[in-house]
């Protein structure tokens, strides 16, 4: 109000303050956008369930955004690829072989393969399974890929 009444020496300070506020706003928006990109990458890295250690460092709004992104991606994957849908999160890196040897790191229970075979995943048991069925469990920390 003093600048409007005639104190022209305050106009420079007002413009400087306004430029500082705009810069801070741009920095905050860039930071928030980077966090959203990282949260989106977590969905592709860990799957639909985030570990508690990761989720602990997220705000409630970020968890909500992750859940909405997860549902949106699931809806899209169901709409593509016929009746069963297409899981885009599988085979992020091209496989060298279709079957891999895995070791179970913790008790998981029964695990069914497409041919109807049921395998009991107990701690320290080793199995030779299709890669695409194991990738999600490897990301969750249930199985460990044994490199020979």
């Amino acid at each position: 109000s003093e600048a409007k009444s005639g104190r022209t020496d305050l106009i420079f300070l007002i413009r400087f303050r306004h430029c500082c506020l705009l810069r801070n706003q741009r920095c905050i928006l860039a930071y928030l956008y980077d966090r959203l990109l990282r949260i989106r990458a977590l969905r592709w890295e860990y799957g639909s369930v985030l570990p508690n250690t990761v989720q602990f460092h997220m705000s409630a709004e970020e968890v909500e955004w992750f859940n909405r992104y997860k549902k949106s991606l699931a809806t899209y994957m169901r709409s593509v690829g016929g009746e069963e849908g297409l899981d885009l999160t599988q085979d992020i890196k091209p496989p060298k072989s279709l079957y891999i040897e895995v070791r179970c790191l913790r008790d998981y229970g029964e695990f069914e393969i497409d041919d109807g075979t049921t395998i009991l995943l107990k701690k320290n048991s080793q199995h030779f399974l299709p890669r695409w069925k194991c990738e999600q469990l490897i990301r969750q920390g249930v199985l460990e890929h044994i490199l020979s």
Side-chain angles (χ1 to χ4, degrees), residues 23-60:
R23 180 193 174 279
N24 289 347
Q25 182 183 20
R26 283 193 315 268
C27 291
I28 290 170
L29 288 175
Y31 170 76
L32 291 175
Y33 183 68
D34 182 62
R35 278 195 64 97
L36 283 182
L37 291 179
R38 290 173 191 254
I39 292 170
R40 186 175 69 181
L42 289 174
R43 168 58 179 95
W44 291 89
E45 183 179 343
Y46 290 106
S48 61
V49 179
L50 289 177
N52 289 335
T53 56
V54 173
Q55 202 167 5
F56 176 75
H57 295 288
M58 294 170 59
S59 68

